[in-house]
């Protein structure tokens, strides 16, 4: 069985970050609901448990509490923030409402340098706090090992049982050495090795896919995005000729997108690629449509229609592969005040209709995005695909405000190509979440040479974000903006004005439609 750390989720917005930090130390981690029974946990043979933070108050009615028998599993436990209060609840400490909320930066002073959590770390550390309740009496057999300005019990331990509690958040970037604290827990205290690497994962995944699929055939909808591309490369390695990839050209792709996919997957990987050039059909149906939601619906429905017909042509297959990732399958904890449970991503393409009688193969479903990218590189996919920024399913249609016409598509494609190329050559493309051009269907007056022009406007959008849920606009250097504007206006016929979008999300959205 895979060596692993289990994280019990009490509804913290940082739970997934904890899981990623553990994996960055090359140890597999999975997130389970806070009330997972201890006997279920025991079956997984975790090397250690981490109790996440959470928005609740441990003494509030209906507060989420773990199965108390987790403390008898005999494995090391690290409680973070709310997780410490769970210790207090069961092991005899006291938690009270703090007089003031402790929020933001603090300085941690390590009092007991023998504590394994702080090995190879300085005695003073910058840490990030975010809690209202406070531990005021230690649980039995615990000792304080570090303090902050506001808390004598910022870090506590029961050395004999290997139980540790941190009132601050080691997982967030504002605790700069937090990674090492987590690594100390995982490696020194839980004794985990470094087996979780994408190179090792390839072998395990290939074996699993082969065991699931046997001699049957598999179909995969390849979009050219990171997830479906990596899934395709992995499945191809596992089952070769049994895999057919279907690539649908929906007419609203970026420049060269179809070519890159055909080149990489058809010619380089030599996998069976069924190319459906249905752009005419999509554009016909989009004709005259200006409402953004209708555009999305038309593209979504037409895609399903085309894809379904394509699967029939591809011949009988038992399996449908999808590039589902771990964040899509983690169930969020239904705790009031948990933002992750309330914000629902409105666009995840929802998948294909259930009546398509396939069994699913989802070889990426335990991976985070950064791991998928790493896996893609290990599988030999080019950086151009693996390091791609997200691109919406309805493509350029949601970046052309109003009606989508062949002329507008030409203009936006050309402007977009310039944005992508300049962002790449300046290195900014790889540092941020998304950068793209939007075509505004308003015409304004300009002069070019001696002529008066009356042309479209291109808006440039560049945002940084962790997950697309919130975003901030990127302060691109003036020189780069100048280059983008001047190239777009000079090289793209039909555009005489460029603007830069300085709206964050919220209140804006990343896409304009
Ligand atoms: P918004 O515009 O809602 O976008 O701030 C958040 C993220 O989702 C992407 N996006 C989509 N992805 N189908 C998709 O597959 C869609 O209809 C869609 N709309 C937006 C967007 O590019 C951003 O990364």
């Amino acid at each position: 069985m895979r060596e692993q750390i289990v994280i019990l989720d009490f509804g913290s917005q940082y739970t997934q970050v904890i899981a990623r930090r553990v994996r960055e130390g090359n140890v597999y981690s999975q997130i389970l609901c806070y009330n997972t029974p201890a006997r279920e946990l025991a079956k997984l043979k975790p090397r250690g448990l981490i109790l996440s933070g959470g928005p609740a108050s441990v003494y509030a009615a209906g507060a989420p509490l773990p199965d108390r028998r987790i403390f008898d599993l005999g494995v090391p436990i690290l409680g973070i923030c709310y997780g410490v209060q769970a210790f207090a609840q069961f092991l005899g400490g006291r938690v009270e409402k703090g007089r003031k909320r402790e929020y933001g930066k603090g300085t941690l002073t390590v009092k007991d340098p023998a504590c394994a959590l702080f090995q190879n770390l300085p005695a003073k550390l910058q840490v990030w706090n975010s809690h209202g309740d406070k531990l005021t009496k230690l649980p039995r057999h615990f000792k304080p090992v570090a303090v902050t300005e506001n808390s004598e019990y910022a870090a506590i331990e029961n050395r004999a049982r290997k139980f540790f509690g941190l009132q601050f958040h080691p997982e967030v970037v504002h605790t700069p050495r937090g990674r090492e604290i987590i690594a100390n827990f995982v490696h020194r205290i839980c004794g985990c090795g470094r087996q979780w690497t994408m190179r090792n994962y390839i072998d395990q995944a290939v074996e699993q896919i082969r065991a699931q699929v046997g001699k049957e055939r598999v179909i995969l909808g390849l979009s050219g995005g990171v997830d479906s591309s990596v899934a395709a490369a992995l499945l191809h390695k596992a089952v070769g000729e049994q895999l057919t990839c279907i690539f649908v050209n929906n007419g609203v792709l970026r420049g060269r997108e179809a070519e890159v996919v055909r080149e990489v997957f058809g010619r380089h990987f030599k996998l069976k690629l069924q190319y459906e050039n249905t752009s005419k059909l999509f554009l016909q149906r989009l004709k005259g449509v200006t409402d953004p939601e209708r555009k999305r619906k038309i593209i979504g429905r037409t895609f399903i229609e085309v894809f379904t017909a394509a699967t029939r042509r591809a011949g009988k297959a038992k399996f449908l592969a999808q590039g589902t990732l771990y964040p899509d399958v983690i169930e969020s904890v239904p705790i009031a005040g948990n933002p992750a449970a309330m914000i629902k991503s409105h666009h995840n393409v929802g998948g294909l209709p259930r009546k398509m009688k396939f069994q699913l193969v989802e070889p990426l479903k335990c991976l985070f995005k950064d791991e998928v990218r790493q896996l893609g590189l290990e599988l030999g996919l080019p950086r151009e695909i693996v390091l791609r920024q997200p691109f919406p399913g309805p493509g350029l249609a949601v970046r052309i405000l109003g009606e989508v016409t062949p002329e507008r598509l030409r203009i936006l494609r050309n402007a977009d190509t310039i944005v992508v190329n300049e962002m790449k050559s300046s290195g900014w493309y790889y540092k941020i979440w998304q950068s793209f051009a939007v075509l505004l269907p308003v015409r304004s007056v300009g002069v070019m040479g001696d002529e008066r022009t009356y042309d479209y406007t291109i808006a440039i959008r560049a945002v940084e974000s962790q997950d697309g849920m919130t975003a901030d606009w990127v302060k691109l250097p003036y020189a780069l903006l100048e280059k983008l504007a001047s190239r777009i206006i000079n090289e793209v016929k039909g555009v005489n004005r460029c603007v830069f979008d300085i709206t964050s999300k919220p209140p804006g959205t990343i896409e304009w439609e």
Side-chain angles (χ1 to χ4, degrees):
M1 190 176 287
R2 207 181 263 159
E3 194 176 70
Q4 65 176 300
I5 297 288
V6 169
I7 297 157
L8 292 182
D9 182 21
F10 291 86
S12 165
Q13 55 180 322
Y14 303 127
T15 304
Q16 291 192 25
V17 186
I18 305 175
R20 281 165 55 188
R21 293 288 168 268
V22 172
R23 291 189 189 193
E24 281 163 13
N26 300 110
V27 177
Y28 181 66
S29 64
Q30 62 171 316
I31 297 172
L32 296 176
C33 188
Y34 66 89
N35 58 6
T36 307
R39 61 171 191 287
E40 294 298 320
L41 292 175
K43 285 186 204 154
L44 300 171
K45 299 197 171 42
R47 300 297 292 259
L49 300 180
I50 297 180
L51 314 184
S52 84
S57 190
V58 80
Y59 288 129
L65 291 173
D67 179 348
R68 68 177 310 142
R69 284 163 302 184
I70 64 168
F71 298 104
D72 300 324
L73 286 173
V75 299
I77 303 182
L78 172 65
I80 295 175
C81 201
Y82 181 89
V84 181
Q85 299 162 19
F87 276 123
Q89 178 80 352
F90 286 121
L91 306 177
R94 192 180 330 119
V95 173
E96 288 174 34
K97 214 147 203 62
R99 241 172 297 132
K100 61 173 196 240
R101 266 181 72 80
E102 203 180 358
Y103 183 81
K105 269 187 206 161
T107 304
L108 184 86
T109 306
V110 180
K111 295 285 182 191
D112 181 354
C115 174
L117 276 185
F118 299 104
Q119 290 308 297
N120 293 335
L121 285 165
K124 283 206 188 292
L125 291 166
Q126 184 190 317
V127 298
W128 181 261
N129 289 299
S130 170
H131 56 94
D133 290 354
K134 199 168 161 180
L135 191 63
T136 52
K137 177 171 164 258
L138 284 184
R140 272 191 299 280
H141 311 300
F142 274 79
K143 273 188 358 203
V145 286
V147 301
T148 57
E149 298 88 334
N150 291 316
S151 171
E152 302 160 66
Y153 304 138
I156 60 174
E157 75 168 349
N158 174 334
R159 195 164 297 173
R161 295 185 75 185
K162 298 190 181 173
F163 292 166
F164 301 83
L166 302 174
Q167 291 254 353
F168 61 91
H169 287 274
E171 69 277 24
V172 303
V173 286
H174 311 293
T175 301
R177 314 275 311 247
R179 242 171 248 266
E180 292 156 80
I181 300 175
I182 292 175
N184 277 339
F185 177 70
V186 167
H187 297 293
R188 276 176 203 277
I189 296 165
C190 301
C192 294
R194 295 182 182 274
Q195 295 162 11
W196 177 251
T197 61
M198 286 304 110
R199 183 159 296 172
N200 293 343
Y201 180 75
I202 294 177
D203 298 334
Q204 298 164 14
V206 161
E207 225 171 88
Q208 267 171 13
I209 294 167
R210 285 184 185 150
Q212 183 187 2
V213 168
K215 298 241 173 304
E216 301 291 338
R217 297 191 46 242
V218 186
I219 280 180
L220 172 96
L222 185 61
S223 72
V226 179
D227 306 342
S228 67
S229 297
V230 175
L234 183 58
L235 278 152
H236 180 64
K237 190 171 176 79
V239 299
E241 287 282 294
Q242 288 161 258
L243 172 73
T244 304
C245 291
I246 297 174
F247 178 80
V248 175
N249 186 338
N250 61 6
V252 284
L253 303 175
R254 284 162 294 187
R256 272 188 37 82
E257 198 151 28
E259 285 93 320
V260 170
V261 166
R262 295 173 86 178
E263 207 170 286
V264 169
F265 291 98
R267 279 196 278 285
H268 177 70
F269 277 89
K270 297 201 170 23
L271 53 68
K272 251 193 248 162
L273 183 64
Q274 189 173 320
Y275 176 61
E276 299 287 328
N277 190 357
T278 41
S279 56
K280 275 213 182 90
L281 174 69
F282 281 84
L283 294 185
Q284 249 164 27
R285 292 193 180 170
L286 285 169
K287 206 165 179 188
V289 182
T290 53
D291 177 67
E293 280 311 305
R294 271 199 65 213
K295 287 201 259 180
R296 272 210 167 75
K297 284 220 173 76
I298 289 170
I299 294 172
R301 282 201 210 113
T302 309
F303 177 82
I304 289 171
E305 202 181 299
V306 169
F307 190 79
T308 311
T311 57
R312 284 198 207 103
R313 248 173 292 121
K316 214 171 157 34
K318 184 169 176 189
F319 292 95
L320 179 72
Q322 287 185 339
T324 320
L325 304 194
Y326 192 42
D328 304 325
V329 298
I330 303 171
E331 285 178 27
S332 50
V333 176
I335 296 174
N338 173 11
M342 288 183 308
I343 305 171
K344 195 85 205 127
S345 118
H346 52 298
H347 331 275
N348 274 338
V349 201
L352 294 158
R354 283 183 197 282
K355 65 174 192 261
M356 297 181 78
K357 291 219 165 20
F358 288 113
Q359 290 182 29
L360 288 184
V361 189
E362 298 176 300
L364 311 179
K365 83 170 178 210
C366 67
L367 304 184
F368 287 107
K369 191 84 177 191
D370 40 347
E371 293 172 320
V372 171
R373 293 208 158 103
Q374 189 57 42
L375 176 61
L377 293 175
E378 292 282 351
L379 287 164
L381 283 172
R383 279 164 59 90
E384 181 176 6
I385 286 188
V386 172
L387 302 181
R388 257 184 183 190
Q389 294 176 349
F391 183 64
L396 298 181
V398 293
R399 296 182 181 167
I400 293 173
L401 307 200
E403 190 185 352
V404 177
T405 65
E407 166 72 351
R408 290 178 179 180
L409 271 168
R410 174 196 63 80
I411 293 175
L412 184 58
R413 264 193 199 117
N414 290 340
D416 181 73
T417 304
I418 293 175
V419 173
V420 171
N421 289 347
E422 289 298 335
M423 292 297 289
K424 281 187 176 166
S425 57
S426 63
W428 278 92
Y429 183 91
Y430 304 103
K431 291 188 210 151
I432 69 176
W433 176 260
Q434 264 173 314
S435 45
F436 53 87
V438 179
L439 186 142
L440 311 189
V442 284
R443 287 170 188 267
S444 67
V445 175
V447 273
M448 271 192 195
D450 291 330
E451 262 176 70
R452 178 180 177 282
T453 57
Y454 191 55
D455 280 334
Y456 288 129
T457 299
I458 286 286
I460 297 166
R461 182 95 167 118
V463 294
E464 50 196 4
S465 170
Q466 290 297 316
D467 51 13
M469 295 289 192
T470 61
D472 199 4
W473 63 280
V474 180
K475 284 76 190 170
L476 291 179
Y478 282 163
L480 177 56
L481 287 172
E482 184 175 31
K483 191 160 190 194
L484 287 172
S486 111
R487 280 199 60 192
I488 290 170
I489 294 166
N490 284 311
E491 295 172 34
V492 184
K493 197 162 171 297
V495 179
N496 67 351
R497 196 174 292 272
C498 253
V499 295
F500 185 48
D501 181 355
I502 54 167
T503 316
S504 62
K505 170 181 180 175
T509 51
I510 294 176
E511 304 291 343
W512 276 46
E513 278 199 338

